[in-house]
């Protein structure tokens, strides 16, 4: 299967290894990766802040980039995928663009969603010894409805014990620009999240959204917590 890879800004700027491992994992699962070079930011930061009109050039650029073919589009970030899924709504007053946006959105999948639901794979042959907590990001479970797919993949990682925590599906407090505009509230939310995580003393914190992992990981680092933070693709590529 030929697959378009949407890298996202955070992969491009701070977590290149997540992008690299995503490509390697998809290739191991039999996919041929295409990287449309005209892709750029999906506009999520400005969209989250309410600057819809100002975001339209970025949205249209991304739509155009992924119209080069009609293959699936896969991204290792639920937050970016969720933003693109809303393009038709944002472009509703421009019917032609809204239709083009819908066609792109229909082909877009978050990584774990694609592996489990489109490729039909739940065991990628990964192995990682230790105890872990999984953080289900709001973008995945609330915006995309991706709840079980990451858990199925993690359940099949040999040697990994998944630990439940209190209020597991509660927001970590990042929320894009929310963490900047409402920093005090955000800080208390991530503080509570870390408290619940440390109650079970895990070796790893695993998530499928880099932004949430950076937020929670940053708090744990400031508290001196000895927990390794991993994107789910880091785990799925462990052998």
């Amino acid at each position: 299967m030929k697959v378009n890879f949407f890298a996202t800004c955070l992969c491009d700027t701070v977590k290149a290894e997540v992008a690299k491992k995503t490509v390697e994992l998809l290739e191991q699962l039999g996919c041929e990766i295409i990287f449309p070079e005209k892709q750029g930011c999906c506009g999520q930061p400005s969209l989250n802040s309410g600057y819809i009109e100002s975001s339209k050039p970025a949205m249209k650029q991304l739509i155009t980039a992924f119209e080069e073919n009609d293959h699936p589009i896969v991204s290792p970030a639920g937050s970016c995928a969720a933003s693109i899924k809303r393009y038709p709504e944002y472009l509703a007053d421009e019917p032609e663009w809204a239709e083009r946006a819908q066609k792109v959105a229909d082909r877009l999948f978050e990584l774990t969603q694609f592996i489990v639901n489109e490729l039909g794979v739940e065991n990628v042959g990964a192995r990682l010894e230790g105890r872990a907590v999984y953080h289900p990001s709001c973008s995945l479970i609330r915006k995309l409805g991706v709840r079980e797919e990451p858990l199925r993949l993690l359940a099949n990682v040999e040697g990994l014990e998944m630990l439940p925590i209190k209020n597991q599906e509660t927001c970590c407090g990042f929320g894009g620009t929310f963490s900047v505009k409402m920093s005090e509230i955000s800080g208390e939310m991530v503080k509570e999240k870390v408290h619940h995580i440390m109650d079970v003393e895990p070796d790893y914190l695993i998530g499928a959204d880099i932004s949430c992992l950076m937020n929670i990981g940053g708090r744990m680092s400031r508290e001196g917590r000895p927990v390794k933070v991993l994107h789910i693709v880091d785990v799925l590529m462990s052998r």
Side-chain angles (χ1 to χ4, degrees):
M1 181 186 295
K2 292 184 178 181
V3 174
N4 293 288
F5 177 57
F6 173 43
T8 79
C9 294
L10 285 181
C11 278
D12 183 44
T13 57
V14 296
K15 292 291 181 180
E17 280 299 306
V18 170
K20 180 181 177 181
K21 289 179 181 178
T22 298
V23 170
E24 291 175 346
L25 177 60
L26 290 171
E27 287 179 338
Q28 288 181 17
L29 295 174
C31 297
E32 178 184 337
I33 306 301
I34 301 169
F35 186 83
E37 295 185 5
K38 293 180 181 179
Q39 65 178 281
C41 180
C42 68
Q44 181 191 167
S46 56
L47 289 169
N48 283 348
S49 299
Y51 299 107
I52 309 302
E53 288 300 318
S54 301
S55 304
K56 285 185 177 181
M59 289 191 280
K60 291 176 180 179
Q61 171 69 22
L62 198 71
I63 292 168
T64 302
F66 286 107
E67 286 178 328
E68 294 179 1
N69 59 64
D70 59 359
H71 302 305
I73 306 162
V74 179
S75 175
S79 57
C80 295
S83 289
I84 296 170
K85 290 287 189 181
R86 293 190 66 184
Y87 277 12
E89 172 189 336
Y90 296 136
L91 294 165
D93 59 344
E94 300 180 63
E96 182 182 342
W97 276 104
E99 182 179 353
R100 293 169 66 178
Q102 188 64 59
K103 289 179 180 179
V104 169
D106 290 343
R107 293 159 45 216
L108 179 68
F109 301 92
E110 181 271 334
L111 178 63
T112 65
Q113 180 186 40
F114 182 74
I115 292 173
V116 173
N117 298 336
E118 301 303 309
L119 297 183
V121 176
E122 294 189 7
N123 189 338
V124 299
R127 176 181 176 82
L128 181 65
E129 293 287 342
R131 293 153 43 90
V133 167
Y134 169 70
H135 170 66
S137 72
C138 295
S139 293
L140 278 181
I141 62 173
R142 292 174 174 79
K143 296 180 181 179
L144 294 177
V146 177
R147 178 175 269 102
E148 295 300 322
E149 293 88 338
L151 297 175
R152 291 181 191 174
L153 290 166
L154 291 172
N156 286 297
V157 176
E158 187 177 350
L160 188 65
E161 179 186 358
M162 300 305 300
L163 307 171
I165 63 169
K166 183 179 179 182
N167 298 336
Q168 189 134 12
E169 294 190 352
T170 298
C171 177
C172 73
F174 180 68
T177 53
F178 171 81
S179 62
V180 178
K181 294 181 177 180
M182 303 288 183
S183 58
E184 291 186 6
I185 298 174
S186 172
E188 289 302 309
M189 290 173 73
V190 73
K191 180 180 177 181
E192 181 181 23
K193 174 66 71 171
V194 170
H195 175 73
H196 293 321
I197 291 171
M198 295 314 303
D199 276 346
V200 299
E201 300 181 348
D203 301 302
Y204 310 105
L205 169 68
I206 302 169
D209 261 304
I210 294 172
S211 52
C212 296
L213 293 176
M214 291 175 63
N215 187 43
I216 304 171
R219 179 70 196 189
M220 289 196 296
S221 177
R222 290 191 293 277
E223 292 186 9
R225 304 294 191 179
V227 178
K228 189 170 184 178
V229 179
L230 299 173
H231 188 279
I232 193 167
V233 78
D234 294 321
V235 179
L236 299 179
M237 285 298 289
S238 297
R239 299 292 187 268

